[in-house]
């Protein structure tokens, strides 16, 4: 996906576009993520996506929904 509105967990802001859909998002490690950054979805927490910048190597994604994180990329 791509960040539409900068992600800042402290300010509770952030939106991403994934598969053509606009989602509320938070950073998995509390680091801010700038607008237009490509991100990878690690999990879904209610109606929010938990994301990391796509260039960061991470362990296997974890999700709490039936849809896998790979489908959300």
């Amino acid at each position: 996906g791509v960040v539409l509105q900068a992600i800042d967990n402290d300010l509770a802001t952030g939106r991403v576009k994934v598969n053509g859909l606009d989602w509320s998002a938070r950073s998995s490690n509390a680091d801010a993520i700038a607008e237009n950054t490509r991100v990878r979805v690690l999990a879904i927490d209610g109606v929010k996506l938990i994301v990391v910048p796509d260039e960061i190597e991470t362990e296997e994604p974890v999700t709490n929904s039936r849809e896998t994180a790979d489908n959300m990329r």
Side-chain angles (χ1 to χ4, degrees):
V2 66
V3 177
L4 299 175
Q5 176 191 32
I7 298 170
D8 187 322
N9 291 6
D10 292 335
L11 298 176
T13 61
R15 302 213 55 91
V16 297
K17 188 172 191 175
V18 178
N19 291 337
L21 299 175
D22 183 338
W23 289 80
S24 178
R26 298 296 176 265
S27 172
S28 69
N29 61 7
D31 289 344
I33 303 175
E35 192 173 321
N36 297 318
T37 302
R38 291 197 53 78
V39 292
R40 184 175 351 163
V41 176
L42 296 184
I44 302 170
D45 182 11
V47 296
K48 291 184 186 81
L49 300 183
I50 308 303
V51 301
V52 293
D54 200 26
E55 67 272 8
I56 293 177
E57 292 297 323
T58 61
E59 295 181 22
E60 286 297 311
V62 177
T63 183
N64 62 357
S65 82
R66 293 179 187 201
E67 195 164 10
T68 64
D70 284 342
N71 290 337
M72 299 300 295
R73 195 170 189 178

